[in-house]
């Protein structure tokens, strides 16, 4: 966990010196409130599109929360007047790490960690201030493929961040 946070800090610090204002770093405060902080980096590739990735990880014990870790790369297309702001639609994928509870004879159980892959879509709106602060609201859903107990994954959030 320390290596992951250190790596993210180094990447964000090096990108902070870029003066192009095509980078964004965001925190999903809705996921953070439920015990699974989500950090996102987004790169603007044109005035109306961007690519990004989100990383969420659980702070709770595996007995309390099945979802352990998720990595969600995404592509967004914007329909607003400002550069990469306003209403957007999103195509995303997910690599998800979760805990599956396996029961034996109804009396005993064990936890097994599994990894899944899925595809989904979302829609939302991004708001941008004059000093490049960002607010986002979005929602969507995706399907996890393969033999798993999840079936689907949610994609929702209220995020705050900074464009630099």
């Amino acid at each position: 966990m320390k290596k992951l946070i250190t790596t993210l800090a180094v990447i964000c610090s090096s990108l902070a010196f870029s003066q192009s204002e095509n980078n964004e770093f965001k925190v999903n405060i809705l996921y953070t409130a439920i015990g699974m902080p989500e950090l996102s980096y987004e790169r603007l590739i044109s005035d109306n599109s961007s690519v990004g990735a989100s990383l969420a990880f659980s702070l709770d014990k595996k007995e309390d929360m099945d979802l352990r870790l998720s990595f969600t790369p995404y592509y967004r297309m914007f329909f607003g007047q400002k550069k990469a702001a306003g209403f957007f639609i999103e195509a995303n994928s997910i690599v998800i790490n979760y805990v599956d509870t396996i029961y034996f004879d109804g009396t005993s159980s064990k936890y097994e960690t599994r990894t899944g892959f899925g595809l989904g879509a979302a829609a939302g709106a991004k708001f941008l201030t004059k000093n490049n602060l960002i607010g986002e609201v979005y929602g969507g859903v995706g399907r996890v493929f393969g033999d798993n107990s999840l079936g689907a994954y949610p994609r929702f959030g209220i995020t705050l961040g900074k464009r630099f």
Side-chain angles (χ1 to χ4, degrees):
M1 184 62 75
K2 289 181 184 179
K3 288 181 182 180
L4 176 65
I5 292 172
T6 303
T7 303
L8 285 173
V10 168
I11 291 170
C12 291
S13 297
S14 64
L15 292 173
F17 293 107
S18 171
Q19 299 300 317
S20 63
E21 294 185 354
N22 286 332
N23 303 296
E24 297 177 357
F25 183 73
K26 302 173 281 195
V27 176
N28 188 337
I29 58 174
L30 192 57
Y31 274 25
T32 302
I34 63 170
M36 188 151 186
E38 181 182 59
L39 306 173
S40 299
Y41 169 77
E42 190 169 339
R43 174 78 176 172
L44 310 181
I45 55 177
S46 72
D47 285 350
N48 63 353
S49 63
S50 67
V51 293
S54 298
L55 180 67
F57 50 93
S58 176
L59 298 176
D60 294 334
K61 298 177 189 174
K62 63 182 173 184
E63 295 85 9
D64 298 332
M65 183 181 280
D66 291 342
L67 189 58
R68 305 309 303 152
L69 181 74
S70 70
F71 176 71
T72 311
Y74 57 85
Y75 170 80
R76 288 181 175 172
M77 186 180 302
F78 294 89
F79 299 95
Q81 298 298 321
K82 292 182 180 179
K83 180 179 179 178
F87 176 75
F88 65 83
I89 56 174
E90 172 186 294
N92 61 63
S93 61
I94 194 168
V95 176
I96 192 166
N97 185 270
Y98 63 97
V99 173
D100 210 1
T101 307
I102 301 170
Y103 294 97
F104 301 98
D105 301 328
T107 57
S108 61
S109 63
K110 77 172 189 173
Y111 299 103
E112 186 174 299
T113 303
R114 296 187 179 190
T115 301
F117 172 77
L119 295 172
K126 181 185 289 189
F127 306 98
L128 182 66
T129 67
K130 289 181 183 179
N131 55 351
N132 289 332
L133 295 177
I134 300 167
E136 285 182 352
V137 178
Y138 59 90
V141 68
R143 179 168 183 239
V144 180
F145 298 106
D147 183 25
N148 60 65
S149 62
L150 296 177
Y153 65 93
R155 178 80 173 132
F156 60 90
I158 299 172
T159 65
L160 296 175
K162 175 81 172 152
R163 182 176 288 181
F164 53 95

